[in-house]
Amino acid sequence: MRLTRCQAVLAAAITLNLLVLFYVSWLQHQPRNSRARGPRRGAAAGPRVTVLVREFEAFDNAVPELVDSFLQQDAAQPVVVAADTLPYPPLALPRVPNVRLALLQPALDRPAAASRPETYVATEFVALVPDGARAEVPGQLEHMVEVLRAGGARLVAAPVASANPARCLALNVSLREWTARYGPAPSAPRCDALDGDAVVLLRARDLFNLSAPLARPVGTGLFLQTALRGWAVRLLDLPFGAARLPPLATAHARWKAEREGRARRAALLRALGIRLVSGEGGRLEWFGCGKETPRCFGTVVGDTPAYLYEQRWTPPCCLRALRETARYVVGVLEAAGVRYWLEGGSLLGAARHGDIIPWDYDVDLGIYLEDVGNCEQLRGAEAGSVVDERGFVWEKAVEGDFFRVQYSESNHLHVDLWPFYPRNGVMTKDTWLDHRQDVEFPEHFLQPLVPLPFAGFVAQAPNNYRRFLELKFGPGVIENPEYPNPSLLSLAGSG
């Protein structure tokens, strides 16, 4: 049967419609990310970067101006403004599909994905833009993308021409020591961290693979996590403009923002396990326990504190409190004429480090039992707990016939005082614990006692302390460090 020309045209039209329908259906079933990877070569390119605004104060900000400045450069620019809860007063954001407000705090009436920032980002790259910045030069984000793709750094940043433009810093993060150390960047403009206002661009997959990608303050949290991973940031000489109506223009607004910023920073550092920050000039900031707070770890089981299982050592704030307590106790004993000496792990730390062993959680001193009556605080502790004028707590230990001096009533970091007495030339005591170093020893190790640097001061120690330590711990103990209970956790097996 021959087809007429009209029938042939109709068949062709039906076939074409079926092909278009099939193609549209195929596109709809593709994963979202695969549709967002970008156009083929030769096709017009859409935005490759999502502008993400996280660092702003709800009570006083220039976020609407910031958003508008990027939309003026590209009306299709994806913008996400992220906040923990609905900002109040409400933000005057444009009602366009490519500008979205992401609320990160979970809520009963929203799905889980709504609280995840990655839900709102479909581009390959993200630019973290701080409040007070504005886009003025066309193509800045695209230029930053090209620099990032060229390699040499995992993040690319551009300063904001504000009163506090970004500058490069070196940053070393030691989780084991709970410490972040900042210093001058030796190879700027390639650095570990930034201080000041900057637009920071990185791949979306890198940002959202961090454990706390949008924790505030954004700069503090971001660079702690990226520096730990060895990711460098390159700071470009390509400044973004400052807001024409800058945020926090009044003294009261600045005071409120600074107060809340300090509180957020302290909470973030504690949450990320940073207890000590060392600044550029050596200034130290402490974010752990103190005299009025409990210590950073709970009851120790099996001579192995919980932090060792986390592959960390004693928090620096705890070491500081132990040093302070040890220095104070030694001063009291010396003033009272009580003969004492470094014992056990504390003597081992003095011999090995001149300090407390980095993973130790108390200080041990031996004392002559017959000298206890010379010390007012020890006499008082015989009858009950005594809090002295410095807030230290002197008491008899519940575990046995020895004394304990705690840092405070709240913080139970402590120095243990073990009373020994001589019997036939051998130093012995009435309470023995199941510790390998808890053994009798010849009194001649204490005749005479010798000075030994320890924890920032000079303490008394047994003479020939190497032989003394090897008697208690075994040969080579100074040169071969080990955790207190290697049957539970060994130093070699903890890494």
Side-chain angles (χ1 to χ4, degrees), residues 110-182:
R110 290 188 286 121
S115 302
R116 295 195 290 264
E118 59 267 31
T119 301
Y120 303 87
V121 176
T123 56
E124 183 181 357
F125 301 94
V126 173
L128 298 169
V129 183
D131 189 22
R134 61 176 287 116
E136 293 180 335
V137 179
Q140 276 181 294
L141 293 180
E142 287 300 315
H143 179 69
M144 294 172 73
V145 167
E146 296 309 316
V147 173
L148 185 66
R149 282 187 160 167
R154 203 73 173 259
L155 304 90
V156 170
V160 177
S162 65
N164 185 31
R167 59 192 182 89
C168 263
L169 292 176
L171 171 58
N172 176 266
V173 180
S174 173
L175 289 183
R176 189 176 68 179
E177 298 175 351
W178 311 70
T179 300
R181 298 179 177 89
Y182 292 87

Side-chain angles (χ1 to χ4, degrees), residues 265-287:
R265 179 169 175 263
L268 174 63
L269 290 168
R270 292 188 182 104
L272 295 179
I274 300 298
R275 297 290 183 267
L276 174 61
V277 173
S278 174
E280 282 184 273
R283 183 172 66 95
L284 301 180
E285 296 179 273
W286 298 89
F287 298 94

Side-chain angles (χ1 to χ4, degrees), residues 138-377:
Q140 276 181 294
L141 293 180
E142 287 300 315
H143 179 69
M144 294 172 73
V145 167
E146 296 309 316
V147 173
L148 185 66
R149 282 187 160 167
R154 203 73 173 259
L155 304 90
V156 170
V160 177
S162 65
N164 185 31
R167 59 192 182 89
C168 263
L169 292 176
L171 171 58
N172 176 266
V173 180
S174 173
L175 289 183
R176 189 176 68 179
E177 298 175 351
W178 311 70
T179 300
R181 298 179 177 89
Y182 292 87
S187 54
R190 191 176 185 273
C191 41
D192 303 315
L194 300 176
D195 177 41
D197 300 327
V199 174
V200 180
L201 183 135
L202 70 165
R203 286 179 171 83
R205 68 169 183 267
D206 284 347
L207 176 65
F208 296 125
N209 275 330
L210 300 176
S211 61
L214 296 182
R216 295 182 66 191
V218 171
T220 300
L222 177 69
F223 294 122
L224 283 172
Q225 295 173 88
T226 57
L228 181 67
R229 290 160 173 79
W231 298 358
V233 54
R234 181 177 175 186
L235 182 60
L236 306 179
D237 186 14
L238 185 72
F240 280 77
R244 292 169 183 168
L245 295 174
L248 310 176
T250 68
H252 176 75
R254 288 192 296 273
W255 168 81
K256 185 175 180 181
E258 289 169 4
R259 183 191 63 180
E260 296 186 4
R262 285 193 299 270
R264 277 194 293 266
R265 179 169 175 263
L268 174 63
L269 290 168
R270 292 188 182 104
L272 295 179
I274 300 298
R275 297 290 183 267
L276 174 61
V277 173
S278 174
E280 282 184 273
R283 183 172 66 95
L284 301 180
E285 296 179 273
W286 298 89
F287 298 94
C289 64
K291 198 85 168 175
E292 305 303 322
T293 67
R295 67 185 184 184
C296 295
F297 56 95
T299 301
V300 176
V301 177
D303 297 329
T304 306
Y307 52 77
L308 290 184
Y309 291 103
E310 300 170 4
Q311 299 182 23
R312 293 185 174 220
W313 288 352
T314 310
C317 47
C318 298
L319 290 173
R320 179 178 66 161
L322 285 173
R323 294 184 187 107
E324 183 181 341
T325 307
R327 178 193 289 269
Y328 176 73
V329 170
V330 162
V332 170
L333 296 179
E334 289 180 344
V338 176
R339 290 166 292 175
Y340 75 92
W341 61 94
L342 293 169
E343 258 291 350
S346 298
L347 178 61
L348 183 56
R352 188 186 290 153
H353 309 283
D355 201 351
I356 298 168
I357 294 175
W359 51 82
D360 210 351
Y361 53 89
D362 64 5
V363 171
D364 291 309
L365 300 177
I367 60 174
Y368 270 88
L369 177 62
E370 64 188 85
D371 292 347
V372 167
N374 297 343
C375 178
E376 177 185 352
Q377 290 87 338

Side-chain angles (χ1 to χ4, degrees), residues 455-473:
F457 63 99
V458 177
Q460 295 298 304
N463 63 74
N464 201 349
Y465 53 80
R466 173 179 289 275
R467 283 191 59 196
F468 183 87
L469 285 168
E470 292 188 343
L471 169 69
K472 294 209 165 199
F473 292 97

